[in-house]
Amino acid sequence: MSGAPIDDRDQNADARGWFVPPPDQPTDITLAGHLPPLRVPRPVYPDRRVWPPPPPPPSPDDEGYSTQPFPVIAAPLPPSARPQPPTPPAPTPTAEAVAKPRRRVLWGFVLVFAVAAALAGPGWFTYSTYKSGRPDDRVHVVPAGQPGTWQHVSWTAAVEPTDGPAGATPAPDRQWLKVVLTRTAVDAEGATRHGSPLDVTLRDRNGRSWRTEELSNKTPATVAENVVGQPYQIEMLGIVPAQVAGQVEVHLRPSTYRDIPGQEVKDLVKSSVDNPETLENVLRFLR
């Protein structure tokens, strides 16, 4: 039998089957080295407005439409931003210029003090003198229901319970009292002494005192109107503990003011300073 020689490999191939690799094939068929990265180019899409839909392009027929750019107009700067000329330094005040305002202030104080002194009258000066370092009081006791005369003026005092001012609600253990003073000039000298009392207080047997406030004063303001022998009333209001309301006594300090025509305020001050003992006198009205 003639023909080509038979290859043993082909025979073995038939025996191995189609999926078995040939013997001469390497068992390690792993690709040596690094594989290049697999990159698939991705399309890049620009951002696009989806919603709300963009406005339609302007039309040449629209008002204000122009294909020419507006020229740039420089706005004027506000006054605060404009360059300012340099400010000259303020001149150094002289001693005379500094002294003038001080003189004005000093004269203003003098004027205010003079006006206040003229309006307040001598009672203020006598009371201030009395408050600053006066000696002990000289108490003149007046019997109950009787008048007490001092410096040509006759005085009487009466105390009675009363209601408080409108809207005032005292504590249950307090009592409002009204003090009615009656003054009468006994002669022409007494008519010149029509000043209000320096103070009127209510005092109990233990020496405690309560101040009073003036409600009304019917004393004439001038010597000509102050009639000799004519009584004029002054009403005072005070509040004391209820348990002593029936025993408190009135202590009255008369004013030393004398209404002399042509007398200046400085003369009244000098008179009060030279005669401080006149401020010590107090009329005590027993009950």
Side-chain angles (χ1 to χ4, degrees), residues 7-95:
D7 190 353
D8 295 337
R9 294 179 299 179
D10 295 336
Q11 297 176 358
N12 294 335
D14 296 338
R16 292 192 307 270
W18 66 268
F19 55 87
V20 178
D24 58 349
Q25 179 177 327
T27 59
D28 187 5
I29 61 173
T30 304
L31 180 64
H34 296 282
L35 293 176
L38 181 62
R39 295 182 179 178
V40 179
R42 300 176 62 186
V44 179
Y45 300 98
D47 292 340
R48 182 177 180 182
R49 182 174 178 177
V50 178
W51 187 263
S59 172
D61 297 333
D62 295 341
E63 183 179 359
Y65 176 82
S66 175
T67 58
Q68 298 295 331
F70 288 100
V72 177
I73 301 177
L77 295 176
S80 58
R82 297 175 185 174
Q84 301 294 331
T87 304
T92 304
T94 61

Side-chain angles (χ1 to χ4, degrees), residues 134-141 150 252-253 277-284:
R134 63 174 178 82
D136 295 336
D137 292 339
R138 294 181 181 179
V139 180
H140 304 271
V141 179
W150 178 255
L252 183 150
R253 190 182 309 275
E277 68 280 357
T278 58
L279 302 174
E280 307 166 12
N281 297 279
V282 174
L283 300 179
R284 174 189 174 189

